[in-house]
Amino acid sequence: MASLIDCPHCGKRPREEFTTLGSAVTRPSPSADSETWTDYVYLRDNPRGMHDEFWHHADGCRRWIVVSRNTFTHEFGGTRDAAGIAPMISPTEKTSQK
Amino acid sequence: MTPYRLSTGGLIDRKRPVSFTFDGKQYEGFAGDTLASALLANGVSLMGRSFKYHRPRGVMTAGAAEPNALMEIGTGGRREPNTRATMQEIYPDLHATSQNRWPSLDFDIGAANSLLSPFLSAGFYYKTFMWPKSFWEKVYEPFIRKAAGLGRIAEEADPDTYGKAWLHCDLLVAGSGPAGLAAALAAGRAGAKVVIVDEHAIAGGHLVDTREVVDGKSAQAFVEDAVAELRGLPNVTFKTRTTALAWYDDNVVALVERKQKHVAAPEANRAVEILWRVAAGHVIMATGAEERPLVFAGNDVPGVMLASAMRRYLNRFGVAVGRNIAIFTNNDSAYALAAEAEASGITVAAIIDTRSTAPSWTGRARVLTGSEIIATQGGKALKSVTVRTGAKEETLSVDALAMSGGFSPIVHLACQRQQKPVWNEDLQAFLAPDTNGALTPAGSVAGAYSSQQAFNDGADKAVEALTRLGFDAATPAADFADKTPGNPSGLWLPGDVKGKAFIDYQNDVHYKDIGLAVREGFDHVELAKRYTTNGMATDQGKLSNINAIALIARARGCSIAEVGTTTYRPFYTPVSFATLSGTHYGTHFAPVRSSPLHAWSLARGGEMVDAGLWYRPMYYKQAGDTDMMASINREVLAVRAGAGICDVSTLGKIEVTGPDAAKFLDLLYCNDFGKLAVGRARYGFMLREDGIPFDDGTTSRLGENVYFMTTTTAYAGPVLAHMEFCHQQHWPDLDVRFVSVSDQWAQMAIAGPRAREILASLVDEDISEEVFPFLSAKEVTLGSGVVNARLFRISFSGELAFEIAVPAGYGPSVADAIVAAGAIPYGVEALNTMRLEKGYITHAEMNGMVTVADLGFDRMVSRRKDDFVGKHMFGREGLVRENREQLVGVRALKAEDRFTAGAHVLKIGDQVSLENDQGYVTSSVWSPVVKGYIGLALVKGGRNRIGEKVRVWNALLGTDVEAVICSTDHLAEANGGKNA
């Protein structure tokens, strides 16, 4: 796992300053059907490769950010603020990547 | 004969004698000595006993890989087991004790294990101790544990302090031999931020162990000058006694710096060891190479050691390991030792070279080519060696033997991130894998074996890395007199062995064990390791792995590359738990979080209990209270009869402001907040997105766009993080701001029939029932405008009650005034008793599975709102089905009967079984109002079962009592309907 997280607001900081929530899935619209909501609440991809996750700079700027990291190589694909995000890469692209 | 100190030479300070003890006997060494070199200088060659056979062992190395000379250092809480005597510097009055022997190192009963050796072969754990099965726990395991084991851990607390810190640099250089020095010089001169570390007290690595000539001066003088130059540069940090332990993602390297492990009395206000984490732009791994032992019978008798170690003792410490030595080698490197030994007046009886041709040799020693040692003689000290040359055998009388089986690059750091080392056929060695450029091996670790080659390699690789980092670096130069390139050596294995030829000294794995493991099917390198325990000792196979791998390859008839290595993991050398925990122990492990009324409570007899990092008063002990229950019951009855004050400052307090504050609260809570009027408070639930309650609390509207939210004590942090996530991620467009003000306010609950009267005497405003009814909230002043306060008319006890928040610093004086006006202090036990009497819930009831409806708050959930967290899942089939467990009250039928939280509810007459389980008790307490045990319980279809008699059963406590299901409001039942 990464030793340093490049917070888009604070720069590189030790990973101990952060907590993680899980996959960076976006909340469906209130009118979405129950299947969509069930997927959002319960179903997660478990890719071998790049994966976007919500991290919280809890002992820093207190911003929620999206951390893109490779679950296989630990390589970092970048970070950005979590406000109004869209998926960085589509789920199908994710699973086909190594 | 015995080892001795030469009259001259070495980097020790002969003007500073240092006395120390080993196994109770006093010895004298010099400042700069290691424990191993000082013991050798005193003629002590027996330094330990092996793990399994308890064979007498001497020191094998002069560095980190030492398998034999492991000792307990220090006394009391400072006693450290398994310390390598080769790494420990001596200091005045150092106490060292040998390990793994009884009754003494010289006479060890356990040595009888050698006679049992046919039963202690590879895998003996799995074979010998298999039968009978029942013997394992009671006989075999205790026996093995007693017989095995190295040093003893300290039983007292360590009195020293340890630290952790970060370092940042452009270039980290691990190792200060010729390659490391060259790299640091290149980077330091170019102005880069450099950290260079060396695990020894003296920098220079292999260079200071030689009599090489560099730039016209001695290698030792060359190193001294280079170190002085580097230390003089402001951009260079030079750390000796510092080991690079591990290489992590993002080029972070862990170092352990031994600050005060070499001093008699560590300064109390400084750490004895520091764990550094270095964020490096680039890492030059100049970690050198480890000499390989040769495999021959009796290669463990004290007096046998690695040639490089003997050379280090000779040149770095001025110690001759023997007067009449032999050298056994399969490569050229040991010839330099022969020459230097002869120059120091040591007789070299012979150089036994496995090769058919030897390099040019002008010394006095005989060179026996095509030869090998097939046996050694001597128990606790070497007496002679038997050499076979072709068919001829001869015995040479020697008191020490140096051996060299070539060199293995120390590639550990590069292999700790899942990459395996790569076998190089030309060098006959495992080299570092390609690490994508963030870490570069340089010097002998990369196969540049001569000092000149290593220096040039370190210089070139540093310049390359520096260029990539954007520095304009010049290549440093040094001229070594010896221009002979280092030559790699193959791996030499004996044709056959009579007796024990050790592979892993510390774990007593010998030649035949490896073959046996392969024959029995444990031929994969990882299986052979675990079956034989080769490489599993504290040295982690630094000396043994390569020979074991070569033997496996030969037994399997495949190449060394095919066998491969076992997995490299951090750390390179053992690290103490004290260092890893750093400052995180004692009160620093869990800091005390004090409420503004913490001291106030203590002064009034508060018995504190920890609640997370907080401490809260359980109860206030007063004269006349016979026990804890007496205090609690006194407090409950006093509150219900008059008034009490309780510190509730630990509740989470979050201030929410902004034009969209109401909208935001409506999205967070499942109930309506948008319509909450200014000056009103409301109780509410936040749900998780799966529809299950997350936290509860009251939120008050203090102004048009100002809300004051409270959370439970435990969820203050999680609720704030949840709010930040919801605002920042889900609804970033909402114009709302919020901040935790938990520590800014001292908050007190004032409960009881006299609560209003007491507060009215302090509050400037009118707080009569007419203007300040239940669920009112407003900002008020106290003492004619002196103190601003926030007053809430809310209750957690069923009594007329208020909560008042004042700026933290005013907490104690306001609390004093409230007590003076007639309230008694009560603690969280009385608080809990009263909330249970009234049927109020906590996280014991919100257990992560129940719904708002299960808790009886179904009508609170807004049907009006389109959206809130949890709305889309809380109506799921499973969460609204019939016969879910619902919150009810439960009351023991007999006053003397007791039940506790966790007890199960069963129908009268039912057998105890999972099928018959009706639910469980979530909270229970003895109620002084009801005069019996009461509780809350989650019971299947519970609200339709009021009045039913049930069994309340708890196998853990052995209680099984009859109780009745009742309303959650025990107080109303007892008092006939009184409400707050």
Side-chain angles (χ1 to χ4, degrees), chain B residues 55-70:
Chain B
R55 285 170 71 104
R57 291 283 165 80
V59 68
M60 184 58 58
T61 71
E66 178 57 34
N68 291 344
L70 304 181

Side-chain angles (χ1 to χ4, degrees), chain A residues 3 16 27 42 62 64, chain B residues 249-250 277 689 724 728:
Chain A
S3 301
E16 288 80 0
R27 197 171 184 268
Y42 290 110
R62 299 287 300 183
W64 282 88
Chain B
D249 288 354
D250 305 309
R277 281 178 292 173
E689 203 69 270
E724 286 166 333
Q728 294 172 22

Side-chain angles (χ1 to χ4, degrees), chain A residues 27-37, chain B residues 872:
Chain A
R27 197 171 184 268
S29 93
S31 57
D33 58 21
S34 68
E35 205 173 316
T36 307
W37 275 100
Chain B
H872 310 283

